[in-house]
Amino acid sequence: MLPKYSCVRWALDLSQWRPTLAELSLATACLQAEEKARLMKFYFRDDFDASLIGRLLMRKFVRDTTGIAYDQIRFERDGRGKPFLVNSVLGPCRIDFNVSHQGNYSVLAGIVERSIADEPPVKIGIDVMKIEYSGGKPLTEFFRLMTRNFSDAEWRFIRSRQSEAEQLKAFMRFWCLKESYVKNVGVGITMNLQKISFKVKTDDVAKGKVVQDTVLEVDGNLLTNWCFEEHLLDEQHSVAIAFENLGKMADEGTFKVLGYEELMEGALPLMEKDNSYCQRVLEKQYKRFQ
Ligand code: COA
Ligand code: MG
């Protein structure tokens, strides 16, 4: 029998991705028209690529898990911009997914639930952050400016770390946790972030060592129907995934780094390829990668 839940965690390293015109024409033909127009508005190529890959991750996830034909999948965004699947999913099955892109990576977390009864749906949110600080000001000054985004307990944990590098890592850890939560709920940053306080039980997140025991208190109350997963994709990239209504963790939480070929396997264009659009994309400047 299939397990009740299966969870997908995918990452694609954009710093290595230099598509040819042919690859870019196929990738951009796999976008819905309104998203294709939205992407063109990005000034920098890095931002264009990150968002494009996010859309392609969503389409692959839905095709792989529901069997809906690649070119028939239709996404919309809710009032706050969160993408959702419009097609109905057949069978006693539900899915949810969320995408994030920052630093070198675009990432997706998705969940498939089988044999659903009257239980509330499992919802998911994800955030990735590059662990870097280039703000100019001393780190202590930056932390002071960020005071109201973290609870006193979270600041105690961050400041208890030995070096500035460790403090920054802890800061990004909490940042990702908070974002994964607000992205799950779908509200963006309209929430009072000081009321959301994460309690860390495992001091360090390391590459290949997923942390699943962090808990969340909102207004001092422990949220029992939420669980969190934390990853270090590499020494510089922190990820958090927030699950609501999961009960307990579905598995031990392995991230898979996809290559571009794997991402595009079986991809069917939704529209005609558009070389003049792609030429304009190729003219965009990179801000980070050359
Ligand atoms: N809820 C959940 N997911 C959303 C969303 C929403 N309201 N709006 C968009 N998304 C999805 C989309 O797939 C989006 O990709 P796209 O931009 O290519 O369409 C993706 O999430 C973006 O996520 P991410 O790369 O993590 O962006 P972000 O960290 O800038 O988050 C918001 C953007 C809208 C989700 C929101 O949380 C925000 O404005 N955050 C600002 C950061 C902040 O101050 N956080 C405080 C934490 S201490
Ligand atoms: Mg983010």
Side-chain angles (χ1 to χ4, degrees):
M1 206 174 75
L2 285 167
K4 188 168 175 199
Y5 305 112
S6 40
C7 191
V8 159
R9 305 150 185 91
W10 289 332
L12 197 132
D13 184 353
L14 294 151
S15 65
Q16 306 303 320
W17 190 51
R18 292 294 173 276
T20 61
L21 181 60
E23 286 171 332
L24 199 59
S25 319
L26 174 61
T28 53
C30 294
L31 291 168
Q32 291 170 207
E34 71 281 10
E35 293 294 326
K36 184 177 161 192
R38 181 185 65 87
L39 285 173
M40 184 51 86
K41 294 185 188 139
F42 283 114
Y43 184 80
F44 288 112
R45 180 65 190 280
D46 323 40
D47 298 325
F48 179 96
D49 286 357
S51 193
L52 167 67
I53 296 293
R55 299 297 297 185
L56 298 171
L57 286 168
M58 282 164 38
R59 196 162 281 275
K60 174 179 167 60
F61 171 72
V62 173
R63 191 266 322 267
D64 286 4
T65 54
T66 66
I68 302 171
Y70 194 87
D71 54 352
Q72 297 301 308
I73 295 165
R74 170 121 202 120
F75 299 107
E76 276 179 20
R77 289 175 188 265
D78 70 13
R80 290 182 164 118
K82 185 173 183 175
F84 62 91
L85 177 67
V86 177
N87 313 60
S88 8
V89 174
L90 294 178
C93 172
R94 273 189 304 229
I95 63 164
D96 195 31
F97 57 85
N98 194 224
V99 158
S100 180
H101 40 73
Q102 215 268 327
N104 295 6
Y105 290 95
S106 285
V107 297
L108 172 140
I111 186 130
V112 184
E113 276 185 274
R114 300 180 194 88
S115 51
I116 40 173
D118 298 333
E119 294 148 43
V122 179
K123 287 180 63 219
I124 209 162
I126 187 168
D127 196 58
V128 59
M129 281 300 277
K130 188 165 185 182
I131 307 167
E132 67 178 355
Y133 175 66
S134 52
K137 301 182 185 71
L139 193 65
T140 46
E141 174 62 7
F142 170 65
F143 282 176
R144 200 186 57 75
L145 293 171
M146 297 302 296
T147 302
R148 62 190 179 81
N149 290 317
F150 298 88
S151 69
D152 292 346
E154 288 170 334
W155 280 120
R156 272 197 299 280
F157 181 83
I158 293 170
R159 295 201 167 104
S160 74
R161 312 309 285 155
Q162 294 279 307
S163 61
E164 283 210 340
E166 287 299 314
Q167 290 188 10
L168 184 63
K169 192 175 164 191
F171 175 92
M172 291 304 182
R173 209 181 147 182
F174 284 119
W175 184 285
C176 284
L177 284 164
K178 284 194 198 229
E179 277 283 300
S180 71
Y181 175 74
V182 293
K183 289 187 67 193
N184 180 316
V185 179
V187 291
I189 47 160
T190 53
M191 242 177 216
N192 177 350
L193 295 169
Q194 225 162 19
K195 290 184 174 183
I196 312 171
S197 184
F198 285 89
K199 281 192 136 169
V200 162
K201 295 178 184 169
T202 305
D203 278 1
D204 280 309
V205 187
K207 188 168 185 288
K209 186 178 150 262
V210 52
V211 170
Q212 296 181 324
D213 59 1
T214 295
V215 294
L216 172 61
E217 286 181 356
V218 175
D219 278 333
N221 301 311
L222 184 73
L223 296 198
T224 50
N225 56 338
W226 285 79
C227 41
F228 297 87
E229 199 176 272
E230 298 175 80
H231 298 261
L232 207 61
L233 284 182
D234 59 30
E235 285 313 311
Q236 282 197 295
H237 292 83
S238 187
V239 173
I241 307 174
F243 299 89
E244 187 187 11
N245 300 323
L246 184 61
K248 66 178 181 53
M249 278 302 173
D251 56 34
E252 61 288 338
T254 313
F255 241 95
K256 183 170 182 197
V257 179
L258 298 182
Y260 178 68
E261 292 70 28
E262 216 172 339
L263 175 70
M264 296 307 285
E265 211 179 332
L268 294 174
L270 282 61
M271 59 171 84
E272 291 283 306
K273 292 181 183 165
D274 183 346
N275 276 349
S276 76
Y277 178 94
C278 293
Q279 286 296 355
R280 284 197 285 150
V281 175
L282 292 171
E283 283 162 19
K284 289 182 189 285
Q285 308 248 315
Y286 286 98
K287 64 180 162 189
R288 283 190 310 270
F289 321 128
Q290 31 253 322

